[in-house]
Amino acid sequence: MSTVSSSGIGIANLPNQKHKIVAKSGAHFTVMVVGESGLGKTTLINTLFATELSPPKNYSRRHMKQLDKLTEVEIIKAELEEKSFKVKLTVIDTPGFGDYVNNRDSWLPIIEFVDDQHEAYMRQEQQPQRSEKSDLRVHACLYFIRPTGHTLKPLDIEIMKRLGTRVNLIPVIAKADTLTQTDLATFKTRIRQVIAAQGIRIYQPPIESDDEPAADHARLLAEAIPFSIIGSTKDVQTADGRVVKGREYLWGVAEVENENHCDFRKLRSLLIRTHMLDLISTTEDQHYENYRQQQMETRKFGEPRPGKVDNPRFKEEEEALRKRFTEQVKAEEARFRQWEQHLIAERDRLNKDLESAHGAIKSLEAELDNLQVGYGRGTQRR
Ligand SMILES: Nc1nc2c(ncn2[C@@H]2O[C@H](COP(=O)(O)OP(=O)(O)O)[C@@H](O)[C@H]2O)c(=O)[nH]1
Ligand SMILES: [Mg+2]
């Protein structure tokens, strides 16, 4: 049995999962999307809301400017409810960190955002009255990988390493419709190899041995990571007349919810149907606990966290990263310049061709004139 292909929101299944902790008051679940700009992060969020999550209650969006920070995140809140089981869903949309040349450190605030939520929660825990905590700890962090078809970039590796030790990291391949199925499969394998070789921690759906169908399902999900994603909120018509969410091409429609086209359904299932509570409890038991213990070891109770940037170890790392970024940008620029040179050479060559073509035309015209003159004389003679 695969719960992926069954219908319904699936939140009603949540109380049947291992942890029944939240059945009464409802779950707070926070998802964050991270990745270069233009990879379809916002579109994926909207696609989630446009498919099974709709119509959510109390849907709201707001911008949160982090003081002294470069990033502005958008926080989307919605309540989902099925059979009186409530989930307060928060999605954190980050603007992306694509523009290295102007803003090499634009990804740093994203890491800090995650730490800040742990920190804020920990501080609230230390307060005497512990009810009504506001909690934006990230339970699932979707990391968007550009569909190059090659492999992970050094930048991806650096960021994923840092995220993986802090949150449940779920890598996804953006815009899967831009790769052929064969290229997509190869790309996936390579990414998995790099993740393993680099020791990047990613979220692994636990395989429960006492529940055969659930174990099969978890295995299916685990094997699909990194999930390939097609995002679209548009209704389009397929060749066989179905109306689906998808992207239209001359060759046909790339369907969001077609398992032969991408892993959107698997991702959605993992997030809101089968593994939401596991994501919540691993965040609590592992990632938050890690943070708390580290902080307890390195500072006295109640003392504020030392500024990251002042931390010498961090500064060193940052310096190394900065260097690597600069090198990458330089390499890109060199490549671009080479390409530009090539274009200029090509243009010159074409200009020369044009010139000689002009020359040829001129001489042909001259020849033609001569011929006409000759012909004219000939006809005048009579
Ligand atoms: N081909 C393709 N394009 C997509 C997909 N998802 C989003 N896009 C397009 O990519 C562009 C950037 O999307 P957006 O969601 O704003 O990216 P963000 O910067 O990561 O939030 C838009 O033109 C989208 O229509 C996808 O799955 N496939
Ligand atoms: Mg966006």
Side-chain angles (χ1 to χ4, degrees):
M1 182 208 75
S2 157
T3 26
V4 174
S5 52
S6 69
S7 60
I9 297 178
I11 294 162
N13 295 333
L14 287 175
N16 303 330
Q17 293 183 54
K18 191 170 71 179
H19 323 273
K20 300 192 176 182
I21 44 169
V22 282
K24 236 189 187 167
S25 53
H28 282 263
F29 186 57
T30 303
V31 182
M32 179 162 87
V33 294
V34 175
E36 284 175 44
S37 47
L39 288 186
K41 297 183 295 296
T42 304
T43 306
L44 175 69
I45 294 170
N46 293 336
T47 309
L48 278 169
F49 282 109
T51 57
E52 283 190 45
L53 292 184
S54 76
K57 287 203 298 188
N58 301 330
Y59 182 87
S60 74
R61 301 179 88 107
R62 76 185 166 93
H63 286 273
M64 188 166 112
K65 184 93 188 170
Q66 288 204 275
L67 274 183
D68 301 336
K69 291 188 181 158
L70 305 159
T71 343
E72 187 174 340
V73 298
E74 184 172 17
I75 296 183
I76 303 144
K77 283 181 181 288
E79 271 175 43
L80 316 171
E81 188 170 345
E82 193 186 76
K83 296 183 186 153
S84 80
F85 184 78
K86 283 189 220 109
V87 176
K88 288 204 172 104
L89 176 69
T90 305
V91 184
I92 299 167
D93 190 4
T94 60
F97 38 76
D99 200 357
Y100 312 130
V101 181
N102 297 323
N103 187 4
R104 286 187 304 243
D105 297 333
S106 53
W107 56 272
L108 254 178
I110 288 164
I111 309 262
E112 282 186 6
F113 179 88
V114 172
D115 283 348
D116 286 349
Q117 305 322 310
H118 284 316
E119 175 73 17
Y121 190 83
M122 191 173 82
R123 288 176 158 273
Q124 291 177 69
E125 262 201 337
Q126 292 167 352
Q127 301 305 312
Q129 63 280 49
R130 291 170 60 160
S131 60
E132 284 299 308
K133 282 196 273 291
S134 78
D135 186 2
L136 268 185
R137 290 177 299 171
V138 176
H139 299 117
C141 175
L142 305 183
Y143 186 87
F144 282 64
I145 299 164
R146 185 176 289 281
T148 58
H150 305 299
T151 182
L152 284 180
K153 292 187 292 191
L155 176 67
D156 292 324
I157 296 171
E158 292 302 330
I159 301 171
M160 286 173 78
K161 270 188 182 167
R162 280 169 177 74
L163 283 171
T165 55
R166 289 170 163 86
V167 283
N168 288 319
L169 177 64
I170 302 173
V172 305
I173 298 172
K175 303 186 179 181
D177 54 316
T178 61
L179 293 174
T180 65
Q181 287 301 319
T182 328
D183 290 348
L184 189 59
T186 317
F187 192 36
K188 253 194 192 191
T189 311
R190 287 208 197 112
I191 292 171
R192 292 169 70 98
Q193 283 165 351
V194 175
I195 285 174
Q198 294 285 337
I200 296 169
R201 270 184 68 178
I202 58 169
Y203 175 70
Q204 309 270 2
I207 319 261
E208 314 279 355
S209 52
D210 56 343
D211 184 344
E212 202 54 53
D216 284 347
H217 179 64
R219 222 170 274 127
L220 196 76
L221 296 182
E223 280 161 12
I225 294 173
F227 297 112
S228 59
I229 295 301
I230 298 171
S232 171
T233 51
K234 260 212 196 115
D235 287 318
V236 293
Q237 191 162 26
T238 62
D240 54 4
R242 289 170 296 126
V243 174
V244 297
K245 294 274 181 278
R247 308 187 77 89
E248 218 162 12
Y249 290 99
L250 286 175
W251 47 262
V253 166
E255 299 175 34
V256 170
E257 295 185 81
N258 186 327
E259 300 234 33
N260 296 321
H261 294 190
C262 73
D263 303 319
F264 174 82
R265 289 180 75 104
K266 292 198 180 79
L267 174 66
R268 187 181 57 195
S269 168
L270 180 125
L271 289 179
I272 60 169
R273 180 174 297 140
T274 52
H275 287 79
M276 183 188 278
L277 291 186
D278 188 64
L279 288 161
I280 293 173
S281 63
T282 49
T283 299
E284 182 80 40
D285 302 345
Q286 293 173 24
H287 298 299
Y288 174 64
E289 201 46 38
N290 269 351
Y291 180 85
R292 206 183 58 82
Q293 275 178 17
Q294 261 177 20
Q295 297 305 314
M296 289 299 168
E297 279 164 21
T298 53
R299 64 170 137 145
K300 290 192 209 89
F301 185 79
E303 199 176 78
R305 179 171 57 143
K308 281 256 157 110
V309 197
D310 306 331
N311 185 328
R313 198 177 69 85
F314 195 78
K315 199 153 198 161
E316 211 170 84
E317 254 179 47
E318 199 190 327
E319 213 40 59
L321 264 182
R322 202 189 294 273
K323 238 174 108 187
R324 198 166 328 155
F325 281 135
T326 316
E327 276 159 17
Q328 270 180 26
V329 169
K330 275 200 189 129
E332 273 303 297
E333 279 172 358
R335 209 170 61 82
F336 180 76
R337 235 171 277 130
Q338 223 175 9
W339 176 66
E340 200 182 17
Q341 286 302 321
H342 173 76
L343 278 184
I344 290 171
E346 188 68 2
R347 190 194 60 196
D348 287 350
R349 192 181 66 76
L350 287 174
N351 275 346
K352 284 224 179 74
D353 280 358
L354 205 61
E355 251 169 53
S356 63
H358 268 301
I361 290 172
K362 281 260 166 61
S363 70
L364 281 173
E365 276 174 355
E367 229 173 275
L368 194 67
D369 279 349
N370 280 341
L371 280 174
Q372 278 172 344
V373 171
Y375 180 74
R377 279 197 202 116
T379 47
Q380 268 168 10
R381 236 186 271 148
R382 214 176 278 195

